[in-house]
Coordinates of all heavy atoms in Angstrom, one line a residue:
M1 N -27.1 -7.9 -4.0 CA -26.9 -7.4 -2.7 C -27.9 -6.2 -2.5 O -28.2 -5.5 -3.5 CB -25.5 -6.9 -2.5 CG -24.5 -8.0 -2.4 SD -22.7 -7.6 -2.4 CE -22.6 -6.3 -1.2
L2 N -28.4 -6.1 -1.3 CA -29.4 -5.0 -1.1 C -28.8 -3.9 -0.3 O -28.0 -4.0 0.6 CB -30.5 -5.6 -0.1 CG -31.6 -4.7 0.3 CD1 -32.4 -4.2 -0.8 CD2 -32.5 -5.4 1.3
E3 N -29.0 -2.6 -0.8 CA -28.4 -1.4 -0.2 C -29.4 -1.0 0.9 O -30.5 -0.4 0.6 CB -28.2 -0.3 -1.2 CG -27.5 0.9 -0.6 CD -27.1 1.9 -1.7 OE1 -27.7 1.9 -2.8 OE2 -26.3 2.8 -1.4
V4 N -29.1 -1.3 2.1 CA -30.0 -1.0 3.3 C -29.9 0.5 3.8 O -30.8 0.9 4.5 CB -29.9 -2.0 4.4 CG1 -30.3 -3.4 3.9 CG2 -28.5 -2.0 5.0
A5 N -28.8 1.1 3.5 CA -28.5 2.5 3.8 C -27.5 3.0 2.8 O -26.8 2.1 2.2 CB -28.0 2.6 5.3
P6 N -27.3 4.3 2.7 CA -26.3 4.7 1.7 C -24.9 4.1 2.0 O -24.4 4.2 3.1 CB -26.2 6.2 2.0 CG -27.6 6.6 2.5 CD -28.0 5.4 3.4
T7 N -24.5 3.4 1.0 CA -23.2 2.7 0.9 C -23.1 1.5 1.9 O -22.0 1.0 2.2 CB -21.9 3.6 1.2 OG1 -21.9 4.1 2.5 CG2 -22.0 4.8 0.2
V8 N -24.2 1.0 2.4 CA -24.2 -0.2 3.3 C -25.0 -1.3 2.5 O -26.2 -1.1 2.3 CB -24.9 0.1 4.7 CG1 -24.9 -1.2 5.5 CG2 -24.1 1.2 5.4
Y9 N -24.3 -2.4 2.2 CA -24.9 -3.5 1.4 C -24.9 -4.7 2.2 O -24.0 -5.0 3.0 CB -24.1 -3.7 0.1 CG -24.1 -2.5 -0.8 CD1 -23.1 -1.5 -0.6 CD2 -25.0 -2.3 -1.8 CE1 -23.1 -0.4 -1.5 CE2 -25.1 -1.2 -2.6 CZ -24.1 -0.3 -2.5 OH -24.1 0.8 -3.3
V10 N -26.0 -5.5 2.0 CA -26.1 -6.8 2.8 C -26.5 -7.9 1.8 O -27.2 -7.6 0.8 CB -27.1 -6.8 3.9 CG1 -26.7 -5.8 4.9 CG2 -28.5 -6.5 3.4
S11 N -26.0 -9.1 2.1 CA -26.4 -10.2 1.3 C -26.4 -11.4 2.2 O -25.3 -11.9 2.6 CB -25.4 -10.5 0.2 OG -25.8 -11.6 -0.6
P12 N -27.6 -11.9 2.7 CA -27.6 -13.0 3.7 C -27.2 -14.3 3.2 O -26.8 -15.2 4.0 CB -29.1 -13.0 4.0 CG -29.8 -12.4 2.9 CD -28.9 -11.4 2.2
R13 N -27.0 -14.5 1.9 CA -26.6 -15.9 1.4 C -25.5 -15.8 0.4 O -25.5 -16.5 -0.6 CB -27.9 -16.5 0.7 CG -28.9 -16.9 1.7 CD -30.1 -17.6 1.1 NE -31.0 -18.1 2.0 CZ -32.0 -17.3 2.5 NH1 -32.2 -16.1 2.0 NH2 -32.9 -17.8 3.4
M14 N -24.5 -15.0 0.7 CA -23.3 -14.9 -0.2 C -22.4 -16.1 0.1 O -21.8 -16.2 1.3 CB -22.6 -13.6 0.0 CG -21.5 -13.4 -1.0 SD -20.6 -11.8 -0.8 CE -21.9 -10.7 -1.4
N15 N -22.1 -17.0 -0.8 CA -21.2 -18.1 -0.6 C -19.7 -17.7 -0.5 O -19.4 -16.6 -1.0 CB -21.5 -19.2 -1.6 CG -21.0 -18.9 -3.0 OD1 -19.9 -18.4 -3.2 ND2 -21.9 -19.2 -3.9
P16 N -18.9 -18.5 0.0 CA -17.5 -18.1 0.2 C -16.8 -17.7 -1.1 O -15.9 -16.9 -1.1 CB -16.8 -19.4 0.8 CG -17.9 -20.1 1.5 CD -19.1 -19.8 0.7
G17 N -17.1 -18.4 -2.2 CA -16.5 -18.1 -3.5 C -16.8 -16.7 -4.0 O -16.0 -15.9 -4.4
I18 N -18.1 -16.3 -3.9 CA -18.6 -15.0 -4.3 C -18.0 -14.0 -3.3 O -17.5 -12.9 -3.7 CB -20.1 -14.9 -4.4 CG1 -20.5 -15.8 -5.6 CG2 -20.6 -13.5 -4.6 CD1 -22.0 -15.8 -5.9
R19 N -18.0 -14.2 -2.0 CA -17.5 -13.3 -1.0 C -16.0 -13.0 -1.4 O -15.6 -11.9 -1.3 CB -17.6 -13.9 0.4 CG -17.2 -12.9 1.4 CD -17.5 -13.4 2.8 NE -16.8 -14.7 3.1 CZ -17.4 -15.8 3.4 NH1 -18.7 -15.9 3.3 NH2 -16.7 -16.9 3.6
S20 N -15.3 -14.1 -1.7 CA -13.8 -13.9 -2.0 C -13.6 -13.0 -3.3 O -12.8 -12.1 -3.3 CB -13.2 -15.3 -2.2 OG -11.9 -15.1 -2.7
R21 N -14.5 -13.2 -4.3 CA -14.4 -12.4 -5.5 C -14.8 -11.0 -5.2 O -14.1 -10.1 -5.6 CB -15.3 -13.0 -6.5 CG -15.5 -12.1 -7.7 CD -14.9 -12.6 -9.0 NE -15.3 -11.8 -10.2 CZ -14.5 -10.9 -10.7 NH1 -13.3 -10.7 -10.3 NH2 -15.0 -10.2 -11.8
V22 N -15.8 -10.8 -4.4 CA -16.2 -9.4 -4.1 C -15.1 -8.7 -3.3 O -14.8 -7.5 -3.6 CB -17.5 -9.4 -3.3 CG1 -17.8 -8.0 -2.7 CG2 -18.7 -9.8 -4.2
W23 N -14.5 -9.4 -2.4 CA -13.4 -8.8 -1.6 C -12.2 -8.5 -2.4 O -11.6 -7.4 -2.3 CB -13.1 -9.7 -0.4 CG -12.1 -9.0 0.5 CD1 -10.8 -9.2 0.7 CD2 -12.4 -7.9 1.4 NE1 -10.2 -8.3 1.5 CE2 -11.2 -7.5 2.0 CE3 -13.5 -7.1 1.7 CZ2 -11.1 -6.4 2.9 CZ3 -13.4 -6.1 2.5 CH2 -12.2 -5.8 3.1
R24 N -11.9 -9.3 -3.4 CA -10.8 -9.1 -4.3 C -11.0 -7.9 -5.1 O -10.1 -7.0 -5.2 CB -10.5 -10.3 -5.2 CG -9.3 -10.2 -6.0 CD -8.9 -11.5 -6.8 NE -10.0 -11.9 -7.7 CZ -10.6 -13.0 -7.5 NH1 -10.4 -13.8 -6.5 NH2 -11.6 -13.3 -8.4
V25 N -12.2 -7.7 -5.7 CA -12.5 -6.6 -6.5 C -12.5 -5.3 -5.6 O -11.9 -4.3 -6.1 CB -13.9 -6.7 -7.2 CG1 -14.3 -5.4 -7.8 CG2 -13.8 -7.9 -8.2
L26 N -13.1 -5.3 -4.5 CA -13.1 -4.1 -3.6 C -11.6 -3.8 -3.2 O -11.2 -2.6 -3.1 CB -13.9 -4.4 -2.4 CG -15.4 -4.5 -2.6 CD1 -16.1 -4.9 -1.2 CD2 -16.0 -3.2 -3.1
S27 N -10.8 -4.8 -2.9 CA -9.4 -4.5 -2.5 C -8.6 -3.9 -3.7 O -7.8 -2.9 -3.5 CB -8.7 -5.8 -2.1 OG -9.3 -6.4 -1.0
E28 N -8.9 -4.3 -4.9 CA -8.2 -3.7 -6.1 C -8.7 -2.3 -6.3 O -7.9 -1.4 -6.6 CB -8.5 -4.6 -7.3 CG -7.8 -5.9 -7.3 CD -8.3 -6.8 -8.5 OE1 -9.2 -6.4 -9.3 OE2 -7.9 -7.9 -8.5
W29 N -10.0 -2.0 -6.2 CA -10.5 -0.6 -6.3 C -9.9 0.3 -5.2 O -9.5 1.4 -5.5 CB -12.0 -0.6 -6.1 CG -12.8 -1.2 -7.3 CD1 -12.3 -1.5 -8.5 CD2 -14.2 -1.4 -7.4 NE1 -13.3 -2.0 -9.3 CE2 -14.4 -1.9 -8.7 CE3 -15.2 -1.3 -6.5 CZ2 -15.7 -2.3 -9.0 CZ3 -16.5 -1.7 -6.9 CH2 -16.7 -2.2 -8.1
H30 N -9.8 -0.3 -4.0 CA -9.3 0.5 -2.9 C -7.8 0.8 -3.1 O -7.4 1.9 -2.7 CB -9.6 -0.2 -1.5 CG -9.3 0.7 -0.4 ND1 -8.1 0.8 0.3 CD2 -10.1 1.6 0.3 CE1 -8.2 1.6 1.3 NE2 -9.4 2.1 1.3
A31 N -7.1 -0.1 -3.6 CA -5.7 0.1 -3.9 C -5.5 1.2 -4.9 O -4.5 2.0 -4.8 CB -5.0 -1.2 -4.4
E32 N -6.4 1.3 -5.9 CA -6.3 2.4 -6.9 C -6.7 3.8 -6.4 O -6.2 4.8 -6.8 CB -7.1 2.0 -8.1 CG -6.7 0.8 -8.8 CD -5.3 1.0 -9.5 OE1 -5.1 2.2 -10.1 OE2 -4.5 0.1 -9.5
E33 N -7.7 3.8 -5.5 CA -8.2 5.0 -4.9 C -8.4 4.9 -3.4 O -9.5 4.7 -2.9 CB -9.6 5.3 -5.6 CG -10.1 6.7 -5.3 CD -9.4 7.8 -6.0 OE1 -8.9 7.6 -7.1 OE2 -9.2 8.8 -5.4
P34 N -7.3 4.9 -2.7 CA -7.3 4.5 -1.2 C -7.8 5.6 -0.3 O -7.1 6.2 0.5 CB -5.8 4.2 -0.9 CG -5.1 5.1 -1.9 CD -5.9 5.2 -3.1
R35 N -9.2 5.9 -0.4 CA -9.8 6.8 0.5 C -11.0 6.0 1.2 O -11.5 5.1 0.6 CB -10.4 8.0 -0.4 CG -9.4 8.8 -1.0 CD -10.0 10.0 -1.7 NE -10.8 9.4 -2.8 CZ -11.7 10.2 -3.5 NH1 -11.9 11.4 -3.2 NH2 -12.5 9.7 -4.4
G36 N -11.2 6.5 2.3 CA -12.4 5.9 3.1 C -12.0 4.5 3.6 O -10.8 4.2 3.7
S37 N -13.0 3.7 3.9 CA -12.7 2.4 4.5 C -13.8 1.4 4.0 O -14.9 1.8 3.5 CB -12.7 2.4 6.0 OG -13.9 2.8 6.5
I38 N -13.4 0.2 4.0 CA -14.3 -0.9 3.6 C -14.2 -2.0 4.7 O -13.2 -2.4 5.1 CB -13.9 -1.6 2.3 CG1 -13.9 -0.5 1.2 CG2 -14.8 -2.8 1.9 CD1 -13.2 -1.0 -0.1
T39 N -15.4 -2.5 5.1 CA -15.5 -3.5 6.1 C -16.5 -4.6 5.6 O -17.6 -4.3 5.2 CB -16.0 -3.1 7.5 OG1 -15.1 -2.0 7.9 CG2 -16.0 -4.1 8.5
M40 N -16.0 -5.9 5.6 CA -16.9 -7.0 5.3 C -17.1 -7.9 6.4 O -16.1 -8.2 7.1 CB -16.3 -7.7 4.1 CG -17.1 -8.9 3.6 SD -16.5 -9.8 2.2 CE -17.0 -8.9 0.9
V41 N -18.3 -8.2 6.8 CA -18.7 -9.0 7.9 C -19.5 -10.2 7.4 O -20.4 -10.0 6.6 CB -19.4 -8.2 8.9 CG1 -19.8 -9.1 10.1 CG2 -18.6 -7.0 9.4
W42 N -19.2 -11.4 7.8 CA -20.0 -12.6 7.4 C -20.1 -13.6 8.5 O -19.3 -13.6 9.5 CB -19.4 -13.2 6.2 CG -18.1 -13.8 6.3 CD1 -17.8 -15.1 6.6 CD2 -16.8 -13.1 6.3 NE1 -16.4 -15.3 6.7 CE2 -15.8 -14.1 6.5 CE3 -16.4 -11.8 6.0 CZ2 -14.5 -13.7 6.5 CZ3 -15.1 -11.5 6.1 CH2 -14.2 -12.4 6.3
R43 N -21.0 -14.4 8.4 CA -21.2 -15.5 9.4 C -20.0 -16.6 9.2 O -19.9 -17.1 8.1 CB -22.5 -16.2 9.2 CG -22.8 -17.3 10.2 CD -24.2 -17.9 10.1 NE -24.4 -18.9 11.1 CZ -25.3 -19.8 11.0 NH1 -26.1 -19.9 10.0 NH2 -25.4 -20.7 11.9
D44 N -19.3 -16.9 10.2 CA -18.3 -17.9 10.2 C -18.2 -18.5 11.5 O -17.6 -18.0 12.5 CB -16.9 -17.2 9.9 CG -15.8 -18.2 9.6 OD1 -15.9 -19.4 10.0 OD2 -14.8 -17.8 9.0
L45 N -18.8 -19.7 11.6 CA -18.8 -20.4 12.9 C -17.5 -20.9 13.4 O -17.4 -21.2 14.6 CB -19.8 -21.6 12.7 CG -21.2 -21.3 12.3 CD1 -22.0 -22.5 12.2 CD2 -21.8 -20.3 13.4
N46 N -16.4 -20.8 12.6 CA -15.1 -21.1 13.0 C -14.3 -19.9 13.7 O -13.3 -20.1 14.2 CB -14.2 -21.7 11.9 CG -14.8 -23.0 11.3 OD1 -15.2 -23.8 12.1 ND2 -14.8 -23.0 10.0
E47 N -15.0 -18.8 13.6 CA -14.3 -17.6 14.2 C -15.0 -17.2 15.5 O -16.1 -17.7 15.8 CB -14.5 -16.4 13.3 CG -13.7 -16.5 12.0 CD -12.2 -16.5 12.2 OE1 -11.7 -15.8 13.1 OE2 -11.4 -17.1 11.4
T48 N -14.3 -16.5 16.3 CA -14.8 -16.0 17.6 C -16.1 -15.3 17.4 O -16.2 -14.4 16.5 CB -13.8 -15.1 18.3 OG1 -12.6 -15.8 18.5 CG2 -14.3 -14.6 19.7
G49 N -17.1 -15.6 18.1 CA -18.4 -15.0 18.0 C -19.2 -15.4 16.8 O -20.3 -14.9 16.5
G50 N -18.6 -16.3 16.0 CA -19.3 -16.8 14.8 C -19.3 -15.7 13.6 O -20.2 -15.8 12.7
V51 N -18.4 -14.8 13.7 CA -18.3 -13.7 12.7 C -16.9 -13.6 12.1 O -16.0 -13.5 12.8 CB -18.7 -12.4 13.3 CG1 -18.7 -11.2 12.3 CG2 -20.1 -12.5 13.9
G52 N -16.8 -13.5 10.8 CA -15.6 -13.2 10.1 C -15.6 -11.8 9.7 O -16.6 -11.2 9.4
I53 N -14.4 -11.2 9.8 CA -14.3 -9.7 9.5 C -13.1 -9.5 8.6 O -12.0 -9.9 9.0 CB -14.2 -8.9 10.8 CG1 -15.4 -9.1 11.6 CG2 -14.1 -7.4 10.4 CD1 -15.4 -8.5 13.0
N54 N -13.2 -8.7 7.6 CA -12.1 -8.1 6.8 C -12.3 -6.6 6.7 O -13.4 -6.1 6.7 CB -12.1 -8.6 5.4 CG -11.5 -10.0 5.2 OD1 -10.7 -10.4 6.1 ND2 -11.8 -10.7 4.1
S55 N -11.2 -5.8 6.8 CA -11.3 -4.4 6.6 C -10.1 -3.8 5.9 O -9.0 -4.4 5.9 CB -11.5 -3.7 8.0 OG -10.3 -3.8 8.7
L56 N -10.4 -2.7 5.2 CA -9.4 -1.9 4.5 C -9.6 -0.5 4.8 O -10.7 0.0 5.0 CB -9.5 -2.1 2.9 CG -9.3 -3.4 2.3 CD1 -9.8 -3.4 0.9 CD2 -7.8 -3.8 2.4
G57 N -8.5 0.3 4.8 CA -8.7 1.8 4.8 C -8.4 2.5 6.1 O -7.7 1.9 7.0
E58 N -8.8 3.8 6.1 CA -8.5 4.7 7.2 C -9.7 4.9 8.0 O -10.8 4.8 7.5 CB -8.1 6.0 6.6 CG -6.8 6.0 5.7 CD -5.5 5.6 6.5 OE1 -5.5 6.1 7.7 OE2 -4.6 5.0 6.0
P59 N -9.6 5.2 9.3 CA -8.3 5.4 10.0 C -7.7 4.1 10.3 O -8.4 3.0 10.3 CB -8.7 6.1 11.3 CG -10.1 5.6 11.5 CD -10.7 5.5 10.1
P60 N -6.3 4.1 10.4 CA -5.7 2.8 10.7 C -6.3 2.1 11.9 O -6.5 2.8 12.9 CB -4.2 3.1 10.9 CG -4.0 4.5 10.3 CD -5.4 5.2 10.4
R61 N -6.5 0.8 11.8 CA -7.1 0.1 13.0 C -6.8 -1.3 12.9 O -6.5 -1.8 11.8 CB -8.6 0.4 13.1 CG -9.4 -0.1 11.9 CD -10.8 0.3 11.9 NE -11.6 -0.2 10.8 CZ -11.7 0.3 9.6 NH1 -11.1 1.5 9.4 NH2 -12.4 -0.2 8.7
E62 N -7.0 -2.0 14.0 CA -6.8 -3.5 14.0 C -8.0 -4.0 14.8 O -8.4 -3.5 15.8 CB -5.5 -3.7 14.8 CG -5.2 -5.1 15.0 CD -3.9 -5.3 15.8 OE1 -3.3 -4.3 16.2 OE2 -3.5 -6.5 16.0
L63 N -8.5 -5.1 14.2 CA -9.6 -5.8 14.8 C -9.0 -6.8 15.8 O -8.2 -7.6 15.4 CB -10.6 -6.4 13.8 CG -11.2 -5.4 12.9 CD1 -12.0 -6.1 11.8 CD2 -12.2 -4.5 13.7
I64 N -9.4 -6.8 17.1 CA -8.9 -7.7 18.0 C -10.0 -8.4 18.8 O -11.1 -7.8 18.9 CB -7.9 -7.1 19.0 CG1 -8.6 -5.9 19.8 CG2 -6.7 -6.5 18.3 CD1 -7.8 -5.4 21.0
E65 N -9.8 -9.6 19.3 CA -10.8 -10.3 20.0 C -10.5 -10.3 21.5 O -9.3 -10.5 21.9 CB -10.8 -11.8 19.5 CG -11.9 -12.6 20.2 CD -11.3 -13.3 21.5 OE1 -10.1 -13.7 21.5 OE2 -12.1 -13.5 22.4
V66 N -11.4 -9.8 22.3 CA -11.2 -9.7 23.8 C -12.4 -10.4 24.4 O -13.5 -10.0 24.3 CB -11.1 -8.2 24.2 CG1 -11.0 -8.2 25.7 CG2 -9.9 -7.6 23.6
D67 N -12.1 -11.5 25.1 CA -13.2 -12.2 25.8 C -14.4 -12.5 24.9 O -15.5 -12.4 25.3 CB -13.7 -11.4 27.0 CG -12.6 -11.3 28.1 OD1 -11.7 -12.2 28.2 OD2 -12.6 -10.3 28.8
G68 N -14.1 -13.0 23.7 CA -15.2 -13.4 22.8 C -15.8 -12.2 22.1 O -16.8 -12.4 21.4
T69 N -15.4 -11.0 22.2 CA -16.0 -9.8 21.5 C -14.9 -9.2 20.7 O -13.8 -9.0 21.0 CB -16.4 -8.8 22.6 OG1 -17.3 -9.5 23.6 CG2 -17.1 -7.6 22.0
W70 N -15.4 -8.7 19.5 CA -14.6 -8.0 18.5 C -14.5 -6.5 19.0 O -15.5 -5.9 19.2 CB -15.0 -8.1 17.1 CG -14.8 -9.4 16.5 CD1 -15.7 -10.4 16.3 CD2 -13.5 -9.9 16.0 NE1 -15.1 -11.5 15.7 CE2 -13.7 -11.2 15.5 CE3 -12.3 -9.3 15.9 CZ2 -12.8 -12.0 14.9 CZ3 -11.2 -10.1 15.3 CH2 -11.5 -11.4 14.8
L71 N -13.3 -6.0 19.1 CA -13.1 -4.6 19.4 C -12.2 -3.9 18.3 O -11.4 -4.6 17.7 CB -12.4 -4.4 20.8 CG -13.2 -5.0 22.0 CD1 -12.3 -4.9 23.2 CD2 -14.5 -4.3 22.1
V72 N -12.2 -2.7 18.1 CA -11.4 -1.9 17.2 C -10.3 -1.3 18.0 O -10.6 -0.5 18.9 CB -12.2 -0.9 16.4 CG1 -11.2 -0.1 15.5 CG2 -13.3 -1.6 15.6
K73 N -9.0 -1.6 17.7 CA -7.9 -1.0 18.3 C -7.3 0.0 17.3 O -6.9 -0.4 16.2 CB -6.9 -2.0 18.7 CG -5.6 -1.4 19.3 CD -4.6 -2.5 19.6 CE -3.4 -2.0 20.2 NZ -2.4 -3.1 20.5
K74 N -7.4 1.3 17.6 CA -6.9 2.4 16.7 C -5.4 2.6 17.0 O -5.0 2.6 18.1 CB -7.7 3.7 16.9 CG -9.1 3.6 16.4 CD -9.8 4.9 16.6 CE -11.2 4.8 16.1 NZ -11.8 6.1 16.2
R75 N -4.7 2.7 15.9 CA -3.2 2.9 16.0 C -3.1 4.5 16.1 O -3.7 5.2 15.4 CB -2.4 2.4 14.9 CG -2.5 0.9 14.8 CD -1.7 0.4 13.7 NE -2.4 -0.8 13.1 CZ -2.5 -1.0 11.9 NH1 -2.0 -0.3 11.0 NH2 -3.2 -2.1 11.5
L76 N -2.2 4.9 17.0 CA -1.9 6.3 17.1 C -0.8 6.8 16.3 O 0.1 6.1 16.0 CB -1.7 6.7 18.6 CG -2.9 6.4 19.5 CD1 -2.5 6.7 21.0 CD2 -4.1 7.2 19.1

């Protein structure tokens, strides 16, 4: 993975198996030290807009689809 900005990593050809393993490891790390947030975005033609999204952390938020666009809904 290439670090394109501090703490921002990209990998244009990460297959689903590797993506799943990376997400599992990140989830375990975040459970041990739950500070900050983690967001993973990948191409998924079966999802709205062709993008799959996973996220962990603060601030609490929910990713919702509105008219084909992903928006962040913050919980108060």
